[in-house]
Amino acid sequence: MPRTPLLDPQEYSGPCYLPDWGCPPSLGTSGGPWAAWMPPAVAGLSGTCVAVPCRFGYPEELRPATVHGLWYFGSPYPKNYPPVVARSRTGAVHESFTGRAKLVGDPGVRDCSLLLGPLSPELAGKYYFRGDLGGYNQYSFSEHTILEVLEEPVLEVPPELVAGEEVEIRCRVPDNCPQLRPRVGWEGIEELPEASERELHEDAAGAATILALLRFRPRREDGGRRLGCRVTFTNSTLTFEATVALDVQYEPRVLEVSGPGEAVEGTPVELGCEAEGRPPPLLSWFRGVTVLREEPVSTGLRLVLPRVEPDHAGTYSCVAENRHGRHNRSLQLHVAYAPRSPILNGSLWVVAGDPVTVTCGAASHPAPIVTVTRGRRVVATAIYEPQVTMTLAAARPEDAGEYLCRAENQHGESSLAFNLTVEFPPILLPDSRCTPGGDGARCVCSASAVPEPAVTFDLPSRNVTVTEGHRDYTVTTPGRGTGGVVTVTGILTLRGTLDPRLAVLCSAHNPHGSVRQQLRFHHPGGLVWAKVGPVGAVVAFAIVIALVCYLSQSRRKKAAGSPEVTPVQPPPGQGGDPAPEPRPLQARWLRGAVGRWALGVGEGPGAPPEPAPPPKPNRGPPEEPPEYAEIRVK
């Protein structure tokens, strides 16, 4: 085999002794210390070979006749009996290196280069050179080379491949066997976008390497893809291949959030979250800004709500986070529940005539039907709205009372009763009157109002005002009625003989106004029925009836003597029954006057004027004035 230099002189920085390395002749013959120069490490693929370039030097004053050398494996000292790898002269070597190692350099020219091959794993280790100049001039150099036997090329992958960021993968192949020149190629890169290849040659202190480079931008879907570096030789069937599965890291992504959009109050709810990311992300469940649960290095996270309440409604977000980014997805949870107790907003105490606006609302889901009723009458309604507004343009006293606000949906109902109070000035009640009894009279003045009215009596003829505290005055307040209405009844007892001109005024007032009215009062002359008693009343009533009958008969007799045109009466059965005879106007007026007299109406200073009697009809010659009976009642 022709001898070729194994070490590039341009890469050699130590002393130069050999003219064929291009060294100046003076350096090649100069002396130096005991020293050796060789690659600190060299590598080769199993089954190939390795040429280890080596140079050594010794003191020039020794001037040996011959120079020999040998290589040890594992130790430089003969006393340790290390295996002999190769010798420059005939001699025994260790069986492991028989036919597999050769000292190809010429120690006489300070060249100690070694050729090993075919390589196998057991040849890996440290190799030491020992120079033999004859006699005691033998020296084991401490400098050594470490042989590494590879079963495949070395793939250098960055510690982190991030999706979208450009990366470079290196395939390192030893090129230290002169007989076998490697060829390097990539496999599995067909689907990689924007992949580029190039090749470099490195020589580090005599150890040659081919460096194949592959650049590309990995994608998320490239995670797990296998890439291979394949080595072949031009004049050999040896093939070596190294593969790697790409561990592409990428920012997390929440794939799915699951759970019901609506749940009924009191039922359990489970929310799920599925995510991916490299490295596996930290998963967290949030509601608003509150962390409900989190779990590191996970691709799935469950959130269980054992018993949902209305406060649990809202937006729930699953957040996935790793050092490359953050991603989240959300879902909206609605909690269905029956209406809560209604809430009122507005004034429930108003003055008559003022507008009224009362709002009643109830929280629920779904929105309720809200109604305001008074008794069986619906006052206001809102359908599928959170509240209803009851409006009265002008409050009246009769609007006061109890109302009911009721909210309902398919999950239940609730209600709230409330009272509307309408303040108004006093109103005198119909039972305000004076009633005679015994020696005197009893006058009642009743008034209703909100707030409570004050009731007084005025006697103008006596210039007296009777209020609470007077000995003849009593007042009663039965209590509040519907809508808070207060009825006050004042009773005035009049004692002794009553003056016919006596007038009694009833007055009531509160902060909103006052009212005053004269009570119907009957003076002693009009209290006839009280004087005559029950029996006298019957007798007087009989006399009145007899007088009316007498007057009617007298009138018909006088009318019979005057010529009158008598209308033709239709025969029976034709045109209906004959019309009844009209009642004389005087008779009707007299009966009415007697009735008023009997009941005591039209007497007293405050009585209305009595109607005048009707005019007499003009029927013929003047008539004699009728006779009237004089009735005296004692």
Side-chain angles (χ1 to χ4, degrees), residues 67-141:
V67 178
H68 295 279
L70 59 85
W71 284 88
Y72 287 135
F73 178 76
S75 174
Y77 306 110
K79 63 179 181 179
N80 293 332
Y81 302 103
V84 176
V85 176
R87 297 175 182 268
S88 61
R89 56 186 175 184
T90 304
V93 296
H94 193 275
E95 59 182 5
S96 299
F97 298 96
T98 301
R100 304 173 68 182
K102 184 177 182 181
L103 201 162
V104 294
D106 183 0
V109 294
R110 299 180 176 86
D111 185 355
C112 54
S113 298
L114 175 66
L115 180 64
L116 296 171
L119 299 179
S120 60
E122 66 269 17
L123 300 186
K126 296 179 179 180
Y127 289 79
Y128 296 87
F129 178 71
R130 179 178 176 83
D132 183 3
L133 279 65
Y136 292 100
N137 293 321
Q138 299 181 15
Y139 187 83
S140 293
F141 296 94

Side-chain angles (χ1 to χ4, degrees), residues 77 157 180 209 293 327 346 348 452 474 605:
Y77 306 110
V157 181
L180 298 175
T209 302
R293 188 185 177 195
H327 185 248
L348 299 179
E452 179 179 339
T474 57

